[in-house]
Amino acid sequence: YPYYFMSRIFISYKRVDKDKVFKIKDQIESALGEKCWIDLDGIESDAQFANVIIKAINECEVFLFMYSDAHSQIIDYKNDWTVRELDFAQYKKKRIVFVNLDSSPLSDWFYLLFGTMQQVDATSNKSVLRLISDIERWLNLSKERSMTGSTVSNATDKSSNADASILPVFRMVIEDIFFISGKGA
């Protein structure tokens, strides 16, 4: 497969949801400075691509399953790539978060097998910001930044994971974030 890079965040999605998914991916990358692994060209059926998926899931710490109404249309769960990725991430004991793109209720099949997984409503900007804050905490990015001297900012959590002796005390509530193409947040 022509591209591969290590990432601690893996995004699984249906092609029909690409625009919504890439908007969230861009928000995460802009806010955290952490690249997400995402299939850019669509799922291929060859073994080489399967090896890339295996490697990417093995190396990730957070697996974001972008759920939508498209998942309720699945007929052959055994051969659906997103389901395969989800099953493999669960087998590898990855932190799995269902990001519901369109407020669709989980289908009975998904609810039976994954109904207890953390779910995020992506139609709510506040929920997406909380997800970003959670990812920052899960990946210990605040601590990594404090060790390199970068400024630590946590948009939604009032507690700081950073050692107070390393960072000056500074907290600010952020009510909204706007993303400008080519500029960032």
Side-chain angles (χ1 to χ4, degrees):
Y1 205 68
Y3 64 89
Y4 177 78
F5 64 92
M6 185 181 138
S7 178
R8 297 186 289 177
I9 305 165
F10 184 100
I11 296 178
S12 177
Y13 72 105
K14 290 284 199 191
R15 297 288 294 159
V16 68
D17 298 317
K18 182 180 178 181
D19 292 341
K20 291 177 186 175
V21 170
F22 275 69
K23 180 181 174 199
I24 294 169
K25 176 194 86 65
D26 292 345
Q27 281 183 280
I28 292 168
E29 290 179 347
S30 177
L32 300 179
E34 186 85 14
K35 286 286 189 189
C36 299
W37 192 96
I38 189 165
D39 167 37
L40 301 174
D41 299 319
I43 297 295
E44 304 295 330
S45 59
D46 64 3
Q48 183 181 6
F49 187 79
N51 288 330
V52 171
I53 293 288
I54 290 166
K55 185 172 181 156
I57 293 174
N58 276 331
E59 292 177 2
C60 81
E61 295 176 40
V62 178
F63 181 93
L64 300 178
F65 188 77
M66 302 293 184
Y67 185 85
S68 73
D69 185 59
H71 288 89
S72 67
Q73 310 301 319
I74 296 172
I75 297 169
D76 184 3
Y77 290 98
K78 192 176 191 177
N79 290 312
D80 182 87
W81 271 102
T82 61
V83 172
R84 287 177 168 191
E85 292 166 353
L86 180 60
D87 285 342
F88 188 68
Q90 186 175 39
Y91 168 72
K92 290 296 191 164
K93 299 182 179 1
K94 300 299 177 177
R95 180 183 299 273
I96 298 171
V97 180
F98 272 65
V99 179
N100 194 319
L101 298 172
D102 57 10
S103 300
S104 295
L106 293 182
S107 70
D108 289 346
W109 188 89
F110 278 99
Y111 194 85
L112 175 66
L113 297 174
F114 304 103
T116 60
M117 298 285 175
Q118 179 178 351
Q119 296 184 39
V120 173
D121 176 9
T123 64
S124 161
N125 191 46
K126 185 176 180 178
S127 294
V128 173
L129 291 176
R130 182 66 206 175
L131 171 64
I132 291 169
S133 175
D134 287 345
I135 293 170
E136 180 179 38
R137 185 170 34 85
W138 296 330
L139 298 181
N140 211 12
L141 293 174
S142 295
K143 188 168 187 136
E144 287 177 14
R145 288 184 187 123
S146 70
M147 292 172 64
T148 62
S150 298
T151 304
V152 175
S153 172
N154 190 331
T156 58
D157 192 357
K158 293 184 180 180
S159 66
S160 174
N161 294 332
D163 184 347
S165 66
I166 297 172
L167 294 173
V169 176
F170 177 78
R171 294 185 184 153
M172 176 172 51
V173 176
I174 299 173
E175 292 182 7
D176 219 342
I177 296 177
F178 299 94
F179 296 91
I180 300 170
S181 180
K183 299 288 183 184

